[in-house]
Amino acid sequence: MKSGFINGINIYTPESRIELIEYAIFNRKILVAVNAEKILHATSKSRSIINKNVGYPDGMGAVWSLRKKGYKNVMKIPGCELWLDIIKHYHSSKTFYLVGGEKEVIEATVMKLKKEYKGIEILNYRNGFLRNNNEKEKLIKDIIEKRPDVVFVAMGSPLQELLMVEMQKKHQATYQGLGGSFDVYTGYVHRAPKWWVRNSLEWCHRLLSQPLRIKKQIHLIRFFILLRFNKF
């Protein structure tokens, strides 16, 4: 599977989602979504985590960066869709463990998954608020005992990546960080309408519906300037 480096981050450019999924499943890797923010604010630690695992182009910033480097057929792979692709292909043959979201969100997620994917084996789940080190160690111990094939962690970056690295050291499995995907899946948060998604304007829709996000997304201006002048 091909990949390219952007600001020291190795980003895979699969020909299809299933190619990416099968690679991560077979090699028991952590799937890390890469977007403009992760590229712009990359550190030696974040680069190390991504480059030892599987970074994929979750945002258009990553897609545009790769295309500018000559990777013409790069596709955007939204993490909020990828985890459901994994379940769709493996719900009858793999076991799962879910971490993340508020208590009511994770419970609604599990209920909906069991309804939509008959026979899915979810070994355990818990919310994404680890209040202290004891709770984290208890979670990792349970992961070791249950031995799931796939673990989804929806806590936001960089917390979810750091936790997945710890888990991976204790139990080899396929992991994916999901951010707020459980909220989207259960309808607690609504994703942008299909037209915005199809035209790569999902970020713009979020900004229009949540103006306060401008403080977080202002970095995109700097990202595009650096990209325009080949600084990555």
mmCIF file of all heavy atoms in Angstrom, residues 72-87:
data_model
loop_
_atom_site.group_PDB
_atom_site.id
_atom_site.type_symbol
_atom_site.label_atom_id
_atom_site.label_comp_id
_atom_site.label_asym_id
_atom_site.label_seq_id
_atom_site.Cartn_x
_atom_site.Cartn_y
_atom_site.Cartn_z
ATOM 1 N N LYS A 72 -2.026 11.504 -7.077
ATOM 2 C CA LYS A 72 -3.198 12.021 -7.781
ATOM 3 C C LYS A 72 -4.519 11.386 -7.346
ATOM 4 O O LYS A 72 -5.562 12.037 -7.410
ATOM 5 C CB LYS A 72 -3.017 11.814 -9.294
ATOM 6 C CG LYS A 72 -1.781 12.505 -9.864
ATOM 7 C CD LYS A 72 -1.834 14.018 -9.635
ATOM 8 C CE LYS A 72 -0.623 14.720 -10.243
ATOM 9 N NZ LYS A 72 -0.602 16.157 -9.942
ATOM 10 N N ASN A 73 -4.512 10.135 -6.950
ATOM 11 C CA ASN A 73 -5.766 9.427 -6.679
ATOM 12 C C ASN A 73 -6.079 9.284 -5.195
ATOM 13 O O ASN A 73 -6.712 8.317 -4.773
ATOM 14 C CB ASN A 73 -5.736 8.049 -7.344
ATOM 15 C CG ASN A 73 -5.613 8.143 -8.848
ATOM 16 O OD1 ASN A 73 -6.297 8.950 -9.480
ATOM 17 N ND2 ASN A 73 -4.739 7.338 -9.435
ATOM 18 N N VAL A 74 -5.628 10.240 -4.406
ATOM 19 C CA VAL A 74 -5.875 10.191 -2.962
ATOM 20 C C VAL A 74 -7.352 10.432 -2.675
ATOM 21 O O VAL A 74 -7.966 11.337 -3.242
ATOM 22 C CB VAL A 74 -5.042 11.254 -2.220
ATOM 23 C CG1 VAL A 74 -5.269 11.154 -0.721
ATOM 24 C CG2 VAL A 74 -3.577 11.089 -2.548
ATOM 25 N N MET A 75 -7.920 9.605 -1.821
ATOM 26 C CA MET A 75 -9.315 9.770 -1.436
ATOM 27 C C MET A 75 -9.423 10.148 0.032
ATOM 28 O O MET A 75 -8.597 9.728 0.854
ATOM 29 C CB MET A 75 -10.095 8.468 -1.672
ATOM 30 C CG MET A 75 -9.672 7.318 -0.772
ATOM 31 S SD MET A 75 -10.602 5.804 -1.087
ATOM 32 C CE MET A 75 -9.738 5.231 -2.549
ATOM 33 N N LYS A 76 -10.393 10.977 0.348
ATOM 34 C CA LYS A 76 -10.672 11.305 1.742
ATOM 35 C C LYS A 76 -11.382 10.115 2.371
ATOM 36 O O LYS A 76 -12.329 9.556 1.796
ATOM 37 C CB LYS A 76 -11.545 12.552 1.832
ATOM 38 C CG LYS A 76 -11.905 12.941 3.265
ATOM 39 C CD LYS A 76 -12.842 14.142 3.293
ATOM 40 C CE LYS A 76 -13.295 14.439 4.704
ATOM 41 N NZ LYS A 76 -14.267 15.548 4.770
ATOM 42 N N ILE A 77 -10.928 9.715 3.561
ATOM 43 C CA ILE A 77 -11.525 8.583 4.270
ATOM 44 C C ILE A 77 -11.965 9.069 5.652
ATOM 45 O O ILE A 77 -11.166 9.084 6.594
ATOM 46 C CB ILE A 77 -10.527 7.419 4.417
ATOM 47 C CG1 ILE A 77 -9.987 7.011 3.033
ATOM 48 C CG2 ILE A 77 -11.184 6.223 5.104
ATOM 49 C CD1 ILE A 77 -8.930 5.936 3.083
ATOM 50 N N PRO A 78 -13.205 9.513 5.801
ATOM 51 C CA PRO A 78 -13.668 10.019 7.103
ATOM 52 C C PRO A 78 -13.660 8.920 8.167
ATOM 53 O O PRO A 78 -14.217 7.830 7.960
ATOM 54 C CB PRO A 78 -15.103 10.487 6.806
ATOM 55 C CG PRO A 78 -15.149 10.677 5.324
ATOM 56 C CD PRO A 78 -14.245 9.626 4.769
ATOM 57 N N GLY A 79 -13.036 9.223 9.290
ATOM 58 C CA GLY A 79 -12.987 8.237 10.375
ATOM 59 C C GLY A 79 -14.360 7.852 10.884
ATOM 60 O O GLY A 79 -14.578 6.718 11.323
ATOM 61 N N CYS A 80 -15.312 8.816 10.812
ATOM 62 C CA CYS A 80 -16.670 8.544 11.303
ATOM 63 C C CYS A 80 -17.416 7.564 10.410
ATOM 64 O O CYS A 80 -18.483 7.062 10.786
ATOM 65 C CB CYS A 80 -17.461 9.843 11.447
ATOM 66 S SG CYS A 80 -17.721 10.731 9.891
ATOM 67 N N GLU A 81 -16.858 7.282 9.230
ATOM 68 C CA GLU A 81 -17.415 6.258 8.346
ATOM 69 C C GLU A 81 -16.568 4.980 8.384
ATOM 70 O O GLU A 81 -17.104 3.872 8.264
ATOM 71 C CB GLU A 81 -17.481 6.784 6.904
ATOM 72 C CG GLU A 81 -18.394 7.993 6.727
ATOM 73 C CD GLU A 81 -18.333 8.557 5.323
ATOM 74 O OE1 GLU A 81 -17.647 7.951 4.454
ATOM 75 O OE2 GLU A 81 -18.951 9.607 5.058
ATOM 76 N N LEU A 82 -15.256 5.148 8.536
ATOM 77 C CA LEU A 82 -14.334 4.015 8.462
ATOM 78 C C LEU A 82 -14.612 2.972 9.535
ATOM 79 O O LEU A 82 -14.579 1.766 9.271
ATOM 80 C CB LEU A 82 -12.893 4.512 8.556
ATOM 81 C CG LEU A 82 -11.807 3.447 8.379
ATOM 82 C CD1 LEU A 82 -11.861 2.850 6.975
ATOM 83 C CD2 LEU A 82 -10.422 4.049 8.647
ATOM 84 N N TRP A 83 -14.912 3.396 10.760
ATOM 85 C CA TRP A 83 -15.138 2.424 11.832
ATOM 86 C C TRP A 83 -16.375 1.574 11.549
ATOM 87 O O TRP A 83 -16.408 0.380 11.863
ATOM 88 C CB TRP A 83 -15.230 3.116 13.190
ATOM 89 C CG TRP A 83 -16.516 3.819 13.500
ATOM 90 C CD1 TRP A 83 -16.944 5.008 12.983
ATOM 91 C CD2 TRP A 83 -17.526 3.403 14.431
ATOM 92 N NE1 TRP A 83 -18.155 5.361 13.526
ATOM 93 C CE2 TRP A 83 -18.539 4.399 14.414
ATOM 94 C CE3 TRP A 83 -17.676 2.313 15.276
ATOM 95 C CZ2 TRP A 83 -19.682 4.317 15.202
ATOM 96 C CZ3 TRP A 83 -18.816 2.230 16.067
ATOM 97 C CH2 TRP A 83 -19.797 3.218 16.023
ATOM 98 N N LEU A 84 -17.375 2.170 10.900
ATOM 99 C CA LEU A 84 -18.575 1.413 10.540
ATOM 100 C C LEU A 84 -18.290 0.473 9.372
ATOM 101 O O LEU A 84 -18.897 -0.605 9.281
ATOM 102 C CB LEU A 84 -19.718 2.365 10.212
ATOM 103 C CG LEU A 84 -20.234 3.167 11.412
ATOM 104 C CD1 LEU A 84 -21.252 4.210 10.968
ATOM 105 C CD2 LEU A 84 -20.859 2.241 12.463
ATOM 106 N N ASP A 85 -17.365 0.850 8.493
ATOM 107 C CA ASP A 85 -16.933 -0.064 7.436
ATOM 108 C C ASP A 85 -16.263 -1.293 8.036
ATOM 109 O O ASP A 85 -16.460 -2.423 7.565
ATOM 110 C CB ASP A 85 -15.954 0.635 6.489
ATOM 111 C CG ASP A 85 -16.618 1.706 5.631
ATOM 112 O OD1 ASP A 85 -17.836 1.598 5.390
ATOM 113 O OD2 ASP A 85 -15.924 2.649 5.223
ATOM 114 N N ILE A 86 -15.463 -1.072 9.073
ATOM 115 C CA ILE A 86 -14.807 -2.195 9.757
ATOM 116 C C ILE A 86 -15.853 -3.125 10.345
ATOM 117 O O ILE A 86 -15.783 -4.359 10.187
ATOM 118 C CB ILE A 86 -13.855 -1.677 10.857
ATOM 119 C CG1 ILE A 86 -12.677 -0.928 10.234
ATOM 120 C CG2 ILE A 86 -13.357 -2.837 11.733
ATOM 121 C CD1 ILE A 86 -11.758 -0.251 11.245
ATOM 122 N N ILE A 87 -16.831 -2.559 11.007
ATOM 123 C CA ILE A 87 -17.884 -3.373 11.610
ATOM 124 C C ILE A 87 -18.680 -4.109 10.537
ATOM 125 O O ILE A 87 -19.011 -5.297 10.682
ATOM 126 C CB ILE A 87 -18.806 -2.497 12.478
ATOM 127 C CG1 ILE A 87 -18.055 -2.065 13.745
ATOM 128 C CG2 ILE A 87 -20.092 -3.251 12.849
ATOM 129 C CD1 ILE A 87 -18.827 -1.128 14.640
#
